[in-house]
Amino acid sequence: MAVALSAAWIDCPQCHGFGYTITPAGKHVICSWCRAEQSVLGFIENDLVYWGEQLSVSSVLEKKLERTINWIVTTVFIVAASAGLIALLLEIIELQVTHQPLVHLFSQRSPLILGFWASVVADLFLYYRLVRSNQHRYITAENKLAHFTITGSATDWKYWRNVPDQKKIEASLYLHDTTTAALEQAYLLAERWHHTEVKPLHLLLTLYERSDIRALLYRLEIDNRELQRTLARLTNRLEKSAHPFTTPDLGAELRRALLLAYAEARDHHRPQVKPVEALVGCILADQLINDALYEREVTLDKVRSLVEWSNIVDDMLQQQQRRYHLGRSKPKTIMNRAMTARPTNQLDAVSQDFTLQARAGHFLPVIGRNQAVQEAFRVLQEGHSSVLFVGESGSGKTSLLQGIAQLMTAEDVPVSLQDKRFVVSEPGAIIAGAGGVGGIEQRMELIIRDIIMAGNVIWGIEDIHTLLGAGSTGSNIDIGKILMNYISQGYIKVVGTTTTPEFQKYIENNETFLRRFQVVTVAELAPADAVRVLASRALYVESKQKVYFTHDALVAAVELTERFMKDRHLPAKALDIMEEAAIYAREQLGEHALVSKAVVERIMSEKTNVQLSAISQTEAQKLLHLEQILAERVIGQTEAIQAIARALRRAREDIRDTTRPIASLLFLGPTGVGKTETAKAIAAVYFGNEQAMLRFDMSEYDTPDSLTKLIGAAGEQGHLTEAVRRTPFGIVLLDELEKAHSDVLNVFLQVMEDGRLTDGTGRTIDFSNTMIIATSNAGTDTIQQRYDQGATTQAIEQELLSGDLLRHYFRPEFLNRFDHIAVFTPFTPEELVQVGELMLQQLAHQLQAKGITLQWTPVAVIDLVQRGYNRQFGARPLRRLIQDTVQDGIAKLLLDKQLSRRDSVELQPGGEVTVIKAEPI
Amino acid sequence: MSTFTQVVRFLVVDIVLMVMYFPVWWYGAGTIKIIRVLSWQAQDIVRSLNLKILAQYLFVPMYGLTDIWSRLISFPVRLVHFSLLTLQATAYIILLLALLAVWLLAPVFVVYNIVYQFGIIDTNIYLWL
């Protein structure tokens, strides 16, 4: 069972945690050892936890009755309070009628006034009841009070039972009212069905009736009916009481489920155990439930991440409320509370006041960036230091600035940063429109003077690197230097942002700059944090597009972009996909549609040309019958095709190592036997497009310096790396591999091993979504000889791998990197006839577009093949022959106007073509 | 005894205890709660009026103007501003204290009125008004 929490149970040895013993007559008798109290003791993360609340028909009834009475009492008291007011009003009217002064209202004795005062008592009592009924116990950090370590006496239930109750945690006290209600319902359900024991299953069934739990499971794309059927099946298996009047008891399993639910809530800093945590508890404690949900592809992790999703949203709303409350006292203008600030007209003209925007609630919460924000605050508190956030574009630097503004608005910042504005500018706005010699410098000076005079501004500058070297024409000082000068004197504090490449290019070697700024690295968000960011933004996108996301869709958006969009960064790239998927779902499926994983995969497929969507019937068929599909285009080569198809199926089902290329294949064989054709066919089947192929003629890379051509000299892009960067999904076809220089081969050795390559500019190019296919006719003579000697393909492949046949061309470790070496054999005359037919079919297809039909007889084809047969060059001479005779012949006929639409041409033995004119219309 | 009677008995006991605990709660936990709420309110008003900051900056010239005339004008303006806000806060705090007094006196006052209505005592406090 997937129990993430470390939980150990010690059950009462007498009743095994059940709390009751069953007599031979089948009657339930309260356990004489534990008296049904603390029958199950749980060690959860070193705390001793127990379930103290007893459930029985009377206790459930009592609570129900209590709720009813409460309702009645409250209603009566409200009526009494209203009646009291009416009585007072009547008395006032009477005084008015009898012309008595109002001063006498309470001085006189009257039943109406007495009634009024009695109603005031009712009011006070009502308030007392209201406050008391809203009193709950909340799980706090202090709940972790016991800190026991399980020792040798761990199994001794009596020993732990005798530990004073104050040192244990009574989990039932922390149940949310809705969970208590569900638990009572579960009890009544077990009683109605005459079950002997209340089990997690009963609780699950009642939880399942709740709309919030259904909404949660809806996002998991669970088939409700199927799940209900499974649960019903499980329920039928439960033991029924032999005595119809025996009431059920809280079983040990359910106690454990509730204790685990408590631990779950505490671990996620929830104040009370809500139904969602109870659901997790049920899955954790009951293997049957776990299995039933697993069967529906619902894992504990998925449920937990959904619970976390709803928690994120809850926390987000709470935090927003809190910040809104705290931010209310933040001034709405540029003035600070101390009233020492001054207007900053120059600054305001080129920037946005992030604190004012945060106060107005324009920013979404920032997730997973606490460490970077706190580091920035630490730096800003230091004397003359400013902060520079360095991170890849799309990693969330602007969000970080927004997060700082939110904290500053709530004054949730160190004292020295309180009562300040956070104003953010873009260099473009600073530079734009400042004309004339010294215009930009003057503007910069004025802005900085504004900031110094105001004294309450922290200045944010996005893409700060653009300031370095920027200045007006004819000026020999750049505005970056002006900025650094003021920072070093401690007049202003700046929070700048820049991207990693720009940092490396402009700043890394600029010591003057780095003395003023402390770098805070904004690492790309971890996928788990990125999912949380998406979860926090999903609500906004959902309400905007009127659709709903499944949890899998969010996870897929993160995972797929992480895998297939290597040149962009999380969370921005995943957020874009999420939005696009929402728009797509609304447009294609209508409002209130569910944005599932499949929708996200579809969007990703469209963007990247990778077939991602769950294998549809046709695609599955294609993969299952890959051999036939390939065989339609490639004649012969049965064994090679079979091996290739096996390798591709492995790759498509994603059971491969995703850090290496999809597959690395070496096609060996003489010229013209279908190696390139096979590669094209694979591109069409696997990548959905015959053009998804990058072809490199390796004979062009036969010198030592050709390596730089391939991967780029320092600071330059290479042919291969640039091509793969632009088209990262497709086949990299390396023709005539044996002709490449050994240094070039070494590069491919690395590609096949690591799935990536660094180009001349220092960029890492990802090859994990490419398929490397190398073709070579190295050693074909030897291969042919071995065939002639009667060796099987398998034996030859084995010899190739051991390096004997190819040792003159490739090193054994290089050959070993290939997933498969496919040997293409020369065509037999029969196979060549099929090739000839195939070529003629292709030609016929081309002529069809002109309205001309091409016909041929088997004799004509055999004759063609006989004339074009060349064992050494395979099908190439045949193709040339068809070009020279058939195609040329038809071209002449077309030019002479002897051939027009609807006519047919017939290929005759000898390569001649005759025209069969169509019947005139 | 049937389950139902048992339940009813428990509930009756509950209700009796609840009624008896009412005055104890009012002057005990209830008063503590109300004091806490009122003190939050008082702190909130002091915070939102920025009294602490204004007191600290009493001698700092307003709007960053540091010339002598600005300094001369700034102090009295700040003093008046601070005094007015202090007055506002004091008034609000007095109101909160009055609410506390109402809380403490309310049960006594209501009981007095009921007793007076029944004629058990004759002292009419309304005549004092």
Side-chain angles (χ1 to χ4, degrees):
Chain A
M1 198 198 309
V3 185
L5 298 155
S6 63
W9 309 108
I10 303 170
D11 298 341
C12 164
Q14 182 76 7
C15 62
H16 306 291
F18 186 44
Y20 295 81
T21 45
I22 302 168
T23 61
K27 214 182 159 197
H28 284 209
V29 181
I30 198 157
C31 171
S32 57
W33 278 43
C34 65
R35 321 257 350 124
E37 290 164 9
Q38 305 186 21
S39 58
V40 174
L41 289 169
F43 279 96
I44 297 174
E45 315 258 306
N46 277 348
D47 278 343
L48 193 50
V49 189
Y50 70 97
W51 183 262
E53 197 193 351
Q54 298 304 318
L55 271 188
S56 61
V57 175
S58 58
S59 75
V60 173
L61 201 64
E62 187 189 328
K63 279 195 180 155
K64 266 195 159 182
L65 218 74
E66 199 180 310
R67 277 196 287 272
T68 316
I69 289 172
N70 269 346
W71 184 82
I72 294 169
V73 168
T74 310
T75 316
V76 167
F77 275 53
I78 288 170
V79 171
S82 318
L85 280 178
I86 292 167
L88 186 70
L89 204 69
L90 288 175
E91 192 59 38
I92 292 169
I93 293 168
E94 204 181 317
L95 280 181
Q96 292 291 317
V97 171
T98 54
H99 301 290
Q100 290 181 60
L102 271 179
V103 195
H104 292 164
L105 184 63
F106 293 119
S107 303
Q108 62 176 333
R109 292 193 171 103
S110 107
L112 285 176
I113 293 295
L114 178 62
F116 166 72
W117 286 117
S119 81
V120 176
V121 176
D123 291 340
L124 300 183
F125 193 73
L126 204 61
Y127 179 72
Y128 153 71
R129 281 175 61 84
L130 206 73
V131 174
R132 296 257 300 156
S133 66
N134 279 337
Q135 273 177 349
H136 294 290
R137 287 178 77 159
Y138 298 110
I139 304 170
T140 55
E142 292 83 62
N143 274 109
K144 283 198 165 198
L145 46 84
H147 298 293
F148 291 101
T149 11
I150 306 170
T151 58
S153 52
T155 46
D156 185 0
W157 176 83
K158 270 196 173 169
Y159 171 80
W160 294 111
R161 171 68 185 87
N162 289 333
V163 168
D165 284 356
Q166 302 93 296
K167 287 194 168 186
K168 299 176 198 157
I169 293 164
E170 215 285 65
S172 71
L173 298 175
Y174 302 98
L175 236 57
H176 191 267
D177 287 346
T178 48
T179 320
T180 312
L183 188 61
E184 285 169 19
Q185 284 290 323
Y187 183 89
L188 294 177
L189 200 68
E191 197 222 353
R192 199 181 322 143
W193 289 341
H194 305 295
H195 290 149
T196 50
E197 187 184 338
V198 194
K199 289 199 157 242
L201 189 60
H202 296 107
L203 182 58
L204 181 73
L205 285 166
T206 53
L207 287 173
Y208 194 62
E209 293 299 316
R210 293 183 52 83
S211 59
D212 53 346
I213 299 288
R214 286 213 166 188
L216 191 93
L217 297 175
Y218 177 68
R219 288 185 188 278
L220 287 175
E221 292 179 270
I222 294 184
D223 184 341
N224 270 333
R225 278 191 205 158
E226 274 292 315
L227 184 64
Q228 266 171 333
R229 242 173 268 156
T230 314
L231 293 179
R233 250 199 329 270
L234 291 177
T235 316
N236 287 337
R237 279 201 230 160
L238 294 180
E239 191 193 337
K240 285 200 175 190
S241 170
H243 298 265
F245 298 111
T246 312
T247 56
D249 297 307
L250 208 64
E253 258 182 11
L254 185 58
R255 284 170 200 261
R256 276 175 207 152
L258 291 164
L259 296 183
L260 285 165
Y262 162 81
E264 189 74 14
R266 192 186 64 182
D267 265 26
H268 292 93
H269 311 289
R270 301 289 106 198
Q272 286 187 302
V273 181
K274 285 198 171 178
V276 281
E277 280 94 25
L279 176 71
V280 174
C282 287
I283 302 172
L284 276 169
D286 193 327
Q287 189 62 47
L288 276 178
I289 293 177
N290 198 339
D291 293 347
L293 290 175
Y294 190 79
E295 202 179 271
R296 309 255 82 83
E297 287 188 31
V298 179
T299 60
L300 179 64
D301 284 345
K302 280 188 184 178
V303 176
R304 271 192 170 144
S305 47
L306 271 183
V307 173
E308 202 193 336
W309 183 354
S310 73
N311 288 345
I312 289 170
V313 174
D314 280 356
D315 288 349
M316 201 170 80
L317 294 174
Q318 259 183 23
Q319 202 185 41
Q320 295 279 76
Q321 273 176 358
R322 184 181 152 267
R323 294 221 172 121
Y324 174 74
H325 178 77
L326 288 170
R328 269 185 324 160
S329 62
K330 186 94 178 166
K332 269 185 252 176
T333 61
I334 53 121
M335 190 48 61
N336 58 348
R337 292 199 191 91
M339 304 190 80
T340 54
R342 291 188 57 166
T344 49
N345 297 335
Q346 293 288 337
L347 175 69
D348 296 346
V350 296
S351 25
Q352 298 179 57
D353 191 327
F354 267 33
T355 29
L356 279 187
Q357 291 191 16
R359 190 183 186 278
H362 289 179
F363 299 146
L364 290 167
V366 180
I367 286 170
R369 292 293 184 205
N370 200 26
Q371 208 180 338
V373 170
Q374 293 308 325
E375 204 176 328
F377 284 152
R378 271 197 299 278
V379 173
L380 288 174
Q381 284 181 85
E382 288 172 20
H384 296 177
S385 269
S386 285
V387 179
L388 178 65
F389 286 126
V390 181
E392 299 289 354
S393 65
S395 58
K397 293 184 294 299
T398 308
S399 306
L400 250 173
L401 299 185
Q402 294 177 351
I404 289 177
Q406 285 173 335
L407 290 170
M408 284 177 73
T409 309
E411 302 291 20
D412 224 350
V413 290
V415 183
S416 63
L417 298 175
Q418 284 176 4
D419 201 18
K420 294 226 178 337
R421 294 163 67 204
F422 186 47
V423 184
V424 178
S425 315
E426 277 179 43
I430 298 172
I431 295 164
V437 177
I440 299 174
E441 291 77 4
Q442 190 190 5
R443 181 180 280 178
M444 191 70 174
E445 286 281 357
L446 288 172
I447 291 170
I448 294 178
R449 190 166 300 171
D450 260 5
I451 295 172
I452 297 170
M453 294 299 280
N456 69 332
V457 174
I458 306 279
W459 194 16
I461 306 175
E462 292 195 90
D463 298 324
I464 200 166
H465 58 267
T466 40
L467 288 184
L468 299 174
S472 53
T473 328
S475 168
N476 58 0
I477 180 162
D478 72 61
I479 52 174
K481 282 187 184 142
I482 300 176
L483 178 73
M484 284 186 274
N485 188 25
Y486 282 103
I487 293 173
S488 64
Q489 290 175 49
Y491 286 129
I492 56 171
K493 289 217 176 272
V494 173
V495 180
T497 67
T498 187
T499 58
T500 311
E502 311 288 1
F503 177 76
Q504 285 163 349
K505 199 169 172 187
Y506 298 108
I507 300 173
E508 208 167 32
N509 299 320
N510 190 336
E511 214 175 294
T512 332
F513 190 93
L514 287 177
R515 262 209 312 276
R516 272 79 180 179
F517 282 89
Q518 287 199 33
V519 175
V520 176
T521 310
V522 185
E524 184 176 7
L525 271 192
D529 276 336
V531 172
R532 290 178 62 220
V533 171
L534 260 61
S536 72
R537 301 290 191 274
L539 216 63
Y540 168 73
V541 180
E542 281 179 346
S543 70
K544 194 168 136 194
Q545 304 295 347
K546 297 195 173 55
V547 291
Y548 300 98
F549 285 100
T550 65
H551 184 258
D552 277 355
L554 302 191
V555 175
V558 170
E559 281 179 353
L560 296 176
T561 51
E562 175 72 352
R563 191 166 148 198
F564 296 108
M565 287 188 172
K566 299 269 183 184
D567 54 341
R568 294 192 60 200
H569 298 93
L570 286 174
K573 58 183 178 184
L575 282 169
D576 286 351
I577 293 294
M578 181 174 95
E579 283 231 45
E580 269 186 60
I583 294 168
Y584 176 88
R586 196 201 55 203
E587 283 174 356
Q588 301 295 321
L589 312 167
E591 284 188 2
H592 308 296
L594 202 62
V595 186
S596 62
K597 186 180 174 184
V599 174
V600 172
E601 283 178 338
R602 199 187 169 90
I603 297 288
M604 280 299 289
S605 294
E606 279 174 16
K607 275 195 161 324
T608 59
N609 275 334
V610 185
Q611 303 294 303
L612 288 167
S613 36
I615 301 177
S616 63
Q617 192 56 35
T618 49
E619 269 181 299
Q621 289 293 325
K622 262 190 199 172
L623 282 169
L624 275 175
H625 306 292
L626 199 61
E627 288 90 334
Q628 283 98 309
I629 296 170
L630 290 179
E632 278 171 22
R633 298 184 54 163
V634 183
I635 306 298
Q637 320 302 354
T638 321
E639 286 174 57
I641 283 172
Q642 274 174 2
I644 294 163
R646 275 200 300 273
L648 290 188
R649 272 197 290 268
R650 273 202 306 273
R652 186 62 180 82
E653 286 298 330
D654 227 358
I655 44 175
R656 66 185 179 98
D657 178 358
T658 51
T659 58
R660 295 175 57 202
I662 298 167
S664 307
L665 307 170
L666 175 61
F667 294 174
L668 277 181
T671 319
V673 291
K675 299 192 292 290
T676 310
E677 190 60 27
T678 308
K680 276 187 191 168
I682 292 171
V685 175
Y686 191 84
F687 295 101
N689 177 7
E690 206 174 275
Q691 307 306 317
M693 187 156 74
L694 302 167
R695 198 166 170 173
F696 293 88
D697 190 346
M698 298 317 284
S699 59
E700 291 173 23
Y701 302 92
D702 56 350
T703 55
D705 57 334
S706 53
L707 184 63
T708 52
K709 215 161 58 170
L710 207 61
I711 65 168
E716 284 175 17
Q717 295 159 345
H719 291 176
L720 172 73
T721 47
E722 190 53 19
V724 173
R725 195 183 71 81
R726 287 175 191 278
T727 319
F729 320 103
I731 289 175
V732 177
L733 183 68
L734 311 171
D735 264 341
E736 299 189 88
L737 185 70
E738 79 282 359
K739 291 185 178 155
H741 191 266
S742 60
D743 288 354
V744 172
L745 293 184
N746 283 339
V747 163
F748 284 108
L749 194 131
Q750 189 202 327
V751 169
M752 287 190 274
E753 187 61 32
D754 301 335
R756 60 205 162 97
L757 202 57
T758 309
D759 73 358
T761 62
R763 251 192 321 228
T764 306
I765 312 296
D766 177 52
F767 279 74
S768 65
N769 297 303
T770 62
M771 192 184 293
I772 311 271
I773 297 181
T775 69
S776 171
N777 47 24
T780 40
D781 291 342
T782 328
I783 293 170
Q784 192 51 52
Q785 275 171 16
R786 298 285 296 120
Y787 267 116
D788 293 343
Q789 286 163 8
T792 61
T793 311
Q794 254 182 339
I796 296 174
E797 277 174 8
Q798 202 53 48
E799 287 170 36
L800 288 171
L801 273 175
S802 62
D804 285 350
L805 284 176
L806 295 171
R807 67 174 154 228
H808 299 303
Y809 306 95
F810 308 112
R811 284 183 293 149
E813 64 265 34
F814 180 73
L815 290 176
N816 265 320
R817 292 296 187 279
F818 284 104
D819 295 315
H820 185 72
I821 297 176
V823 176
F824 284 65
T825 50
F827 289 131
T828 58
E830 294 76 31
E831 282 169 351
L832 213 56
V833 170
Q834 287 177 45
V835 174
E837 290 250 1
L838 203 66
M839 286 174 178
L840 287 173
Q841 272 167 16
Q842 283 166 358
L843 182 61
H845 190 71
Q846 284 168 17
L847 286 172
Q848 220 166 31
K850 296 181 190 295
I852 296 160
T853 314
L854 175 67
Q855 298 168 354
W856 61 87
T857 56
V859 186
V861 182
I862 292 167
D863 174 67
L864 205 63
V865 169
Q866 274 171 354
R867 290 194 295 134
Y869 183 69
N870 183 324
R871 194 183 160 92
Q872 196 184 349
F873 295 109
R876 291 243 164 91
L878 184 61
R879 185 179 290 281
R880 254 194 312 274
L881 186 69
I882 290 176
Q883 266 172 15
D884 294 349
T885 55
V886 186
Q887 275 177 278
D888 280 5
I890 293 171
K892 268 184 205 160
L893 289 171
L894 275 167
L895 286 169
D896 290 350
K897 309 259 188 233
Q898 290 180 31
L899 195 62
S900 51
R901 291 188 78 83
R902 299 197 305 114
D903 289 349
S904 303
V905 277
E906 195 174 80
L907 174 67
Q908 303 296 336
E912 269 183 51
V913 280
T914 52
V915 181
I916 306 167
K917 293 298 274 182
E919 293 275 321
I921 301 168
Chain B
M1 199 188 298
S2 75
T3 312
F4 184 75
T5 347
Q6 217 174 354
V7 167
V8 170
R9 211 184 69 173
F10 271 126
L11 283 177
V12 169
V13 172
D14 268 6
I15 290 169
V16 170
L17 284 176
M18 188 170 67
V19 172
M20 283 170 67
Y21 184 61
F22 173 40
V24 180
W25 178 85
W26 192 271
Y27 286 106
T31 305
I32 292 169
K33 187 182 164 69
I34 209 84
I35 288 173
R36 205 175 289 152
V37 171
L38 295 178
S39 78
W40 280 338
Q41 292 286 331
Q43 280 169 27
D44 202 41
I45 190 78
V46 170
R47 194 176 59 86
S48 60
L49 291 176
N50 307 315
L51 288 179
K52 209 172 140 189
I53 294 172
L54 288 175
Q56 280 169 355
Y57 281 81
L58 209 55
F59 299 103
V60 179
M62 293 172 87
Y63 310 125
L65 300 167
T66 49
D67 58 295
I68 183 71
W69 283 108
S70 303
R71 277 178 188 275
L72 280 175
I73 297 165
S74 177
F75 177 67
V77 172
R78 273 197 185 274
L79 198 66
V80 170
H81 183 216
F82 180 69
S83 311
L84 283 174
L85 291 183
T86 314
L87 210 67
Q88 190 185 335
T90 316
Y92 191 74
I93 290 168
I94 288 171
L95 185 75
L96 294 177
L97 287 172
L99 279 176
L100 178 65
V102 167
W103 174 270
L104 292 172
L105 291 176
V108 181
F109 186 64
V110 173
V111 169
Y112 156 78
N113 274 290
I114 290 171
V115 173
Y116 174 79
Q117 286 295 327
F118 276 117
I120 300 168
I121 49 169
D122 282 331
T123 321
N124 184 357
I125 57 162
Y126 295 102
L127 293 177
W128 304 344
L129 298 174

